[in-house]
């Protein structure tokens, strides 16, 4: 039961449970709650981390409108900080021509009277946008409010701690009962929490808990009826409420996203909203009637003027939109100049083809390899190599997705012991390896249990503490060890080289279908080189909660190693090649596929399954190894200044320095990840070959001559392009508002729930986004918040056809969340105008 609407000037405010809301009202309330929840983008867990545009669910609105809404509803800054823009202006990064061109492209700013001089002057003053209050903000009005936690902070802390206990499945040994759902769990927890009242300056809080609605539906209906807001404001108010616990809201949205991939639904986000709303009923009970009346009047008056506040915020943000565009114009001008000056492809026989992930960190390495050995043709392709698979390591039941988080796995990868000729009986080796690993895992679990039970903890430390001397030594003197593969944990050393991932559950016809599809997407269905390298990538760091985020910004926080190895093995199978030949895809007999891994922290390349190569391929691999060593050293010297290292060090010494950084558990910046990302090229490598793009561009090969129907273009614009956009906007949001959209100071992070996310310190909301150390080197920002510039080599008709078929893509362009360019075969460049049409660039 919920109370009916009462006159707030009467003697009772929250105490009388009256009749239920009518069904029609319930339906409207439900729709408003669903609309608010639909605005929250998901945040993936730490061990499956992918970059996400936190405003993804808002791309249907123009960027400036979203920036105004976020500022008014939650104080979130969507556009770059003015001090950062001011610095770019002073350093000449933005020119007067860029500023004039930005004004020309934004007629709304000109119509509002903004000139270049006014925009320059605006950089010296803070943004002035209004903020709409929530009920708890206006209730928190007692004279002692500055001597305690604000009610907003205290409530966020309490809700966050409750969520941490409820969602934890891995960190705590003793788990609470969760059978009745999140709202019921919170309600029960709050009745036993005797500390929250003291934090809020409400020692009698427990006596007020009797008014708590019994269900989330009642909580939603009670608050919306009681507030007396216009129905048109409900969804906005509810969205503002969710943004006070945005981290946990994003986690709940992830649970909903995963349920949706499996054809189901998840109610946790609605329950979180109800919890946050129900706090209003408690606080009203703590206030006298006159205080409650004043609160209602203030909230109602403020939200009645919400439309005016939003319009005022949009007008106030016009100069910021101008500067955002001017910053991007400066980058685009330089990028297009470099592409025009690129020497392009060389007319040489291709001896090696090397396919890299489109990750921006591969661009400098591809450029270096081509400069050292021009007979190498490098390619850009999505780093899961077209295998939408879930992977299960040897002798385990654990499965993990090895594909972009936008997709659900449809293939299965499993590890097996596969021996080269003369290395022993595979079946016996496989069985022995599985048994050895299970025994080691069992021993490890017993040791862990002995250290965690309260009665055994002290005796365990007394007995086994000395065994940690080795680990302590490694902390004090960081080793220069190469990257270790965590997938091989628990395997004895003699089995590790023989442990190889394979696709399972596919017959020969399905394998041929898969191979043909992948080769076609990569543009390798003809003219294959004698050696084809499939290069995955991974990061290397120690004691790093966000390590998976550095591995890859897309593939659920995993390297593409197992995908590359499985694909190489598939394409080397004689029966698959025979089936491909029957379809007109001839793989020369001498062509061999080899999997490799690019360590993006140390810029090393490691080959896999080399012992299985035929003799003729081993000779070519040996020559390529020397090329890769030289190219990797070249890239390490290029990156060294950004990491504070001396680029003039001898090669071995520089590599050791980078390895020590990677193994240092106190190192907050093992590498810069995808900081600086700014553009995506969907074009042949000839367009960019030889151009120095500073590791800021995603490079995906695409030749429109092989795609007459535009099928491949559609696949690229609806998958890799969206992934690049998500990565770009995670960095953009974290740089523009590090406090609300970033995860704060990495030194203060504490992991929540084993893998859910982090707190900054021991409380507050769950933090999402990037840490400050991933964006700032202590003196300057290492990432410029630029919207993604996409350049496609295709016809206007082909691009427009894709935009017409996919509304989210059209929204990204028309609502200015990214820039879209095309370059034709003759080199002429044009720009897609928001709203439709193309203009010369």
């Amino acid at each position: 039961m919920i109370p009916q609407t009462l006159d707030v000037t009467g003697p009772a405010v929250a105490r009388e449970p009256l009749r239920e809301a009518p069904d029609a009202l319930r339906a409207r309330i439900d729709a408003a709650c669903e609309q608010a929840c639909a605005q929250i983008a998901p945040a993936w867990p730490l061990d499956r981390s992918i970059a996400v545009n936190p405003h993804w669910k808002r791309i249907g609105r123009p960027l400036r409108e979203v920036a105004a809404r976020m500022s008014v509803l939650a104080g979130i800054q969507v556009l770059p900080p003015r001090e950062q823009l001011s610095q770019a202006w002073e350093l000449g990064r933005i020119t007067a021509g860029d500023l004039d061109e930005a004004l020309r492209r934004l007629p709304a700013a000109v119509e509002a009277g903004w000139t270049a001089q006014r925009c320059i002057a605006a950089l010296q003053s803070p943004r002035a946008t209004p903020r709409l209050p929530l009920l708890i903000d206006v209730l928190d009005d007692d004279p002692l409010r500055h001597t305690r936690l604000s009610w907003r902070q205290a409530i966020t802390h309490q809700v966050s701690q409750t969520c941490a206990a409820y969602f934890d499945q891995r960190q705590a040994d003793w788990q609470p009962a969760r059978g009745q759902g999140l709202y019921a769990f919170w309600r029960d927890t709050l009745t036993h929490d005797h500390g929250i009242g003291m934090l809020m300056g409400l020692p009698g809080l427990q006596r007020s808990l009797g008014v708590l609605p019994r269900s989330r539906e009642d909580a939603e209906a009670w608050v919306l009826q009681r507030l007396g807001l216009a129905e048109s404001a409900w969804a906005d108010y509810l969205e503002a409420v969710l943004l006070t616990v945005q981290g946990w809201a994003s986690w709940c949205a992830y649970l909903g996203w995963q349920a949706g991939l499996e054809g189901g639904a998840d109610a946790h986000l609605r329950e979180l909203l109800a919890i946050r709303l129900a706090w209003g009923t408690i606080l009203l009970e703590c206030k006298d009637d006159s205080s409650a009346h004043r609160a209602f009047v203030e909230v109602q008056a403020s939200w009645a003027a919400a439309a005016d506040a939003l319009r005022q915020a949009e007008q106030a943000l016009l100069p910021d939109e101008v500067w955002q565009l001017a910053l991007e114009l400066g980058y685009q001008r330089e990028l297009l100049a470099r592409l025009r000056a690129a020497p392009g492809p060389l007319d040489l026989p291709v001896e090696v083809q090397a396919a890299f992930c489109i990750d921006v960190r591969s661009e400098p390495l591809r450029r270096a390899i081509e400069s050292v050995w021009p007979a190498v043709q490098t390619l850009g392709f999505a780093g899961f190599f077209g295998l939408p698979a879930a992977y299960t390591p040897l002798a385990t039941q654990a499965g993990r997705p090895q594909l972009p988080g936008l997709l659900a796995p449809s293939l299965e990868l499993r590890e097996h012991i596969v021996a080269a000729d003369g290395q022993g009986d595979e079946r016996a080796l496989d069985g022995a390896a599985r048994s050895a690993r299970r025994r080691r895992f069992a021993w490890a679990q017993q040791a862990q249990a002995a250290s965690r039970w309260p009665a055994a903890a002290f005796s365990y430390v007394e007995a086994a503490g000395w065994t940690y001397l080795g680990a302590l030594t490694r902390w004090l003197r960081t080793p220069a060890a190469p990257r270790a593969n965590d997938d091989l944990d628990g395997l004895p050393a003699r089995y590790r080289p023989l442990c190889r991932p394979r696709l399972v559950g596919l017959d020969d016809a399905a394998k041929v279908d898969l191979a043909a599809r992948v080769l076609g997407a990569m543009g390798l269905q003809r003219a294959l080189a004698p050696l084809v390298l499939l290069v995955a990538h991974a990061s290397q760091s120690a004691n790093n909660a966000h390590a998976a985020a550095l591995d890859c910004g897309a593939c659920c926080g995993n390297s593409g190693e197992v995908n590359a190895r499985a694909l190489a093995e598939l394409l080397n199978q004689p029966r698959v090649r025979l089936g491909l030949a029957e379809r007109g895809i001839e793989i020369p007999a001498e062509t061999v596929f080899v999997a490799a891994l690019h360590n993006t922290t140390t810029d090393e390349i490691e080959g896999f399954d080399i012992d299985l190569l035929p003799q003729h391929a081993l000779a070519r691999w040996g020559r390529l190894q020397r090329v890769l060593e030289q190219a990797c050293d070249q890239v390490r010297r290029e990156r060294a200044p950004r990491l504070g290292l001396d680029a003039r060090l001898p090669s071995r010494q520089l590599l050791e320095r980078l390895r020590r950084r990677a193994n240092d558990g106190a190192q907050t910046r093992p590498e810069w990840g995808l900081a600086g990302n700014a553009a995506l090229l969907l074009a042949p490598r000839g367009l960019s070959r030889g151009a120095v793009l500073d590791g800021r561009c995603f490079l995906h090969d695409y030749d429109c001559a092989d795609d007459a129907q535009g099928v491949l273009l559609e696949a690229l614009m609806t998958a890799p392009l969206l992934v690049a956009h998500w990565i770009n906007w995670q960095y953009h949001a974290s740089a523009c508002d590090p406090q609300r959209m970033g995860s704060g100071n990495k030194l203060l992070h504490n992991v929540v729930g084993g893998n859910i996310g982090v707190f900054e310190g021991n409380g507050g909301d769950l933090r999402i986004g990037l840490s400050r150390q991933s964006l700032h080197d202590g003196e300057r920002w290492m990432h410029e918040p630029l919207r993604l510039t996409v350049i496609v080599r295709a016809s206007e008709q082909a691009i427009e056809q894709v935009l017409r078929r996919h509304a989210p893509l059209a929204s990204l362009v028309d609502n200015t969340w990214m820039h879209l360019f095309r370059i034709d075969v003759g080199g002429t460049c044009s720009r897609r105008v928001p709203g439709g049409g193309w203009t010369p660039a």
Side-chain angles (χ1 to χ4, degrees):
M1 298 291 289
I2 61 173
Q4 70 174 12
T5 302
L6 299 175
D7 180 357
V8 297
T9 61
V13 176
R15 296 174 176 80
E16 295 186 27
L18 298 176
R19 65 179 180 270
E20 263 188 19
D23 290 342
L25 177 59
R26 287 276 193 179
R28 299 199 301 275
I29 290 172
D30 185 70
C33 291
E34 285 297 319
Q35 184 178 336
C37 290
Q39 305 306 304
I40 306 298
W44 267 249
L46 294 174
D47 60 343
R48 297 186 177 186
S49 178
I50 69 170
V52 179
N53 175 4
H55 305 297
W56 174 248
K57 298 298 190 71
R58 305 180 181 102
I59 62 170
R61 301 176 188 264
L63 173 62
R64 179 160 46 90
E65 181 181 335
V66 171
R69 286 177 56 80
M70 291 300 96
S71 182
V72 169
L73 297 183
I76 292 173
Q77 301 303 307
V78 175
L79 297 170
R82 288 187 175 180
E83 55 270 24
Q84 195 170 350
L85 294 166
S86 179
Q87 186 178 41
W89 171 252
E90 291 169 1
L91 294 175
R93 169 65 183 75
I94 301 174
T95 68
D98 297 329
L99 183 57
D100 290 339
E101 176 63 13
L103 281 165
R104 188 185 68 79
R105 292 197 195 174
L106 294 172
V110 177
E111 291 169 7
W114 286 98
T115 64
Q117 288 304 312
R118 279 195 68 195
C119 287
I120 295 169
L123 292 179
Q124 307 309 314
S125 58
R127 289 179 182 142
T129 52
R131 178 84 177 272
L132 294 174
L134 300 177
L135 178 61
I136 61 166
D137 299 321
V138 296
L139 287 173
D140 190 11
D141 62 353
D142 67 82
L144 298 177
R145 64 184 180 277
H146 300 302
T147 65
R148 55 167 171 75
L149 277 180
S150 73
W151 286 1
R152 179 187 280 252
Q153 290 175 309
I155 291 169
T156 297
H157 178 84
Q158 192 276 331
V159 172
S160 188
Q161 295 293 316
T162 301
C163 287
Y166 178 85
F167 289 113
D168 173 31
Q169 300 287 340
R170 296 172 49 180
Q171 196 158 329
D173 288 325
W174 298 344
Q175 298 288 337
R178 308 179 178 90
Q180 293 184 324
L182 177 59
Y183 181 85
F185 178 83
W186 164 80
R187 194 176 185 277
D188 180 65
T189 299
L190 187 59
T191 60
H192 296 90
D193 185 349
H194 299 288
I196 187 65
M198 300 302 296
L199 287 174
M200 300 176 71
L202 296 171
L205 180 67
Q206 290 293 315
R207 295 192 298 271
S208 304
L209 299 183
V211 301
L212 270 177
R214 291 279 177 184
S215 68
R216 71 164 176 85
E217 294 88 353
D218 288 351
E220 294 165 350
W222 190 96
V223 174
L224 285 180
Q225 286 187 101
R226 179 62 52 222
L227 279 174
L229 300 180
E231 193 169 329
S232 59
W234 286 359
D236 289 345
Y237 185 89
L238 295 171
E239 183 180 351
V241 167
L242 278 175
L243 289 173
T244 65
V245 283
Q246 180 177 235
W248 285 110
S250 299
W251 169 254
C252 292
Y254 163 76
L255 298 177
W257 181 286
Q258 294 302 110
L261 289 178
E262 299 170 2
D266 186 273
H268 283 109
L269 186 53
R270 283 288 295 273
E271 293 198 71
L272 179 66
L273 174 59
I275 289 169
R276 187 57 185 73
L277 287 171
W279 262 107
T281 69
I282 301 169
L283 297 182
L284 278 172
E285 187 72 4
C286 296
K287 289 286 187 176
D288 59 43
D289 291 350
S290 62
S291 296
H293 174 65
R294 287 195 303 271
F296 282 128
V297 169
E298 183 174 343
V299 170
Q300 290 166 2
S302 297
W303 284 84
D308 291 337
L310 290 168
R311 281 192 294 271
Q312 181 183 337
E314 279 200 64
Q315 290 299 307
L317 291 173
L318 276 169
D320 300 277
E321 185 179 24
V322 171
W323 282 110
Q324 169 82 84
L325 180 55
L327 187 67
E328 292 153 352
L329 288 171
Y331 171 74
Q332 292 167 357
R333 172 170 37 81
E334 184 177 345
L335 172 63
L336 292 174
R338 292 188 182 193
L339 293 177
R340 290 190 186 100
L346 300 177
D347 188 15
L348 292 173
V350 176
E351 298 194 41
V352 176
Q353 289 163 322
F356 286 80
C357 179
I358 67 172
D359 187 288
V360 297
R361 292 168 290 187
S362 70
E363 183 271 322
L365 185 54
R366 291 178 60 183
R367 174 168 29 94
I369 292 171
E370 292 164 346
S371 69
V372 174
W373 192 9
V376 177
Q377 175 193 5
T378 71
L379 308 161
F381 190 65
F384 73 113
F385 292 100
L387 302 185
Y391 161 63
T392 303
L394 184 75
T396 72
Q397 298 301 315
R400 74 167 190 239
Q402 290 280 147
L403 75 169
L406 297 167
L407 308 173
S410 58
L411 301 174
E412 185 177 5
L413 282 167
R414 287 187 174 270
E415 275 188 326
H416 303 274
I417 295 296
V418 180
D421 293 341
Q423 288 181 312
D425 180 11
E426 282 186 3
R427 189 170 182 178
L429 288 170
D430 190 85
R434 292 174 184 273
S435 297
R437 189 174 215 184
R438 291 190 183 107
R439 284 195 302 271
R440 291 192 175 192
F441 282 160
W443 294 337
Q445 288 173 351
Q446 290 175 4
Q448 186 181 45
S451 69
R452 292 174 69 119
W453 285 100
F458 291 104
S459 58
Y460 178 84
V461 171
E462 291 288 340
W466 63 270
T467 62
Y468 287 88
L469 288 175
L472 180 60
T473 301
R474 288 192 294 274
W475 269 84
L476 296 175
R477 182 172 174 78
T478 307
R483 178 181 178 274
N485 187 345
D486 293 339
D487 292 338
L488 300 178
D489 281 351
L491 270 180
R494 61 197 176 107
Y495 298 118
R496 293 187 176 200
L498 309 180
C499 192
R500 314 180 204 264
R502 297 285 170 90
L503 284 162
V504 298
L506 297 179
D507 58 22
D508 286 347
K511 289 180 180 179
V512 173
D513 286 341
L514 177 61
R517 187 165 63 249
V518 173
L519 288 174
M522 296 176 72
L524 291 177
Q525 64 270 54
R526 60 178 182 274
L528 284 159
L531 184 66
V532 181
L533 205 61
L534 305 175
V535 189
H537 68 93
S539 181
Q540 180 183 352
S541 59
N543 189 36
N544 186 356
H546 289 94
L550 294 175
D551 269 342
C552 180
C555 293
C556 293
N558 298 306
S559 77
E561 174 188 329
V562 295
N563 301 64
R565 294 178 71 182
L567 180 59
E569 189 273 339
L570 176 73
L571 295 174
N572 285 330
Q573 289 182 18
R575 296 175 68 170
V576 170
R577 292 190 175 198
L578 184 61
L580 288 171
E582 293 173 354
R583 301 189 184 194
I585 302 175
E586 293 283 350
I587 299 180
E590 67 169 344
T591 294
V592 176
F593 291 84
V594 179
L597 181 78
H598 171 207
N599 183 334
T600 57
T601 309
T602 61
D603 278 307
E604 297 176 85
I605 291 185
E606 174 188 4
F608 297 108
D609 308 316
I610 305 303
D611 57 322
L612 300 180
L613 296 181
Q615 196 61 40
H616 71 273
L618 280 173
R620 187 168 274 104
W621 169 254
R623 180 181 177 187
L624 181 61
Q625 277 281 82
R626 295 189 292 274
V627 171
L628 295 178
E629 288 175 5
Q630 184 178 341
C632 287
D633 180 67
Q634 180 177 320
V635 176
R636 286 193 286 267
R637 296 184 186 283
E638 185 177 317
R639 290 177 55 225
R642 300 183 77 212
L643 296 170
L645 300 176
D646 186 353
R648 298 166 297 179
L649 288 171
S651 299
R652 188 66 196 172
Q653 193 173 346
L654 180 57
L655 175 57
E656 286 184 358
R657 292 281 183 88
L658 286 166
R659 283 182 174 178
R660 290 187 192 279
R661 285 178 60 89
N663 292 316
D664 185 356
Q667 177 56 251
T668 58
R669 301 176 178 93
E671 64 161 288
W672 285 114
L674 293 94
N677 74 85
L680 165 68
L681 271 64
L682 301 177
R685 176 58 171 160
L687 180 67
S688 59
R689 179 163 177 149
V692 179
L693 302 178
D694 298 326
R696 306 188 69 180
C697 293
F698 301 93
L699 300 176
H700 198 303
D701 276 66
Y702 171 70
D703 190 344
C704 58
D706 296 329
D707 186 35
Q709 303 302 315
V711 175
L712 181 53
L713 177 64
E714 184 170 12
L716 296 182
M717 291 183 68
T718 53
L721 187 153
L722 292 184
V723 167
H725 163 76
W726 274 26
I727 293 171
N728 173 259
W729 262 93
Q730 185 188 57
Y731 276 82
H732 188 287
S734 297
C736 289
D737 195 339
Q739 188 59 33
R740 295 297 307 276
M741 308 305 288
S743 59
N745 186 345
K746 184 182 285 190
L747 298 177
L748 304 178
H749 283 174
N750 283 301
V751 173
V752 180
N755 70 331
I756 292 174
V758 296
F759 286 154
E760 187 180 16
N762 68 344
D765 194 13
L766 189 73
R767 301 306 298 267
I768 60 174
L770 299 162
S771 71
R772 185 175 179 85
Q773 285 85 351
S774 289
L775 303 163
H776 198 280
D777 71 354
E779 295 182 357
R780 63 190 181 95
W781 291 98
M782 302 300 290
H783 180 75
E784 281 188 319
L786 306 177
R787 290 170 290 185
L788 190 69
T789 294
V790 179
I791 300 177
V792 185
R793 171 72 68 83
S795 68
E796 291 181 11
Q797 294 79 4
I799 296 172
E800 288 292 344
Q801 187 175 30
V802 176
L803 294 178
R804 283 194 296 272
R805 289 179 179 173
H806 300 278
L809 275 177
S811 291
L812 290 177
V813 179
D814 292 336
N815 292 325
T816 67
W817 292 90
M818 71 179 192
H819 303 280
L820 181 58
F821 292 76
R822 61 169 293 274
I823 297 180
D824 63 24
V825 178
T828 301
C829 183
S830 56
R831 173 178 60 86
R832 175 57 152 71
V833 178
W838 295 79
T839 187

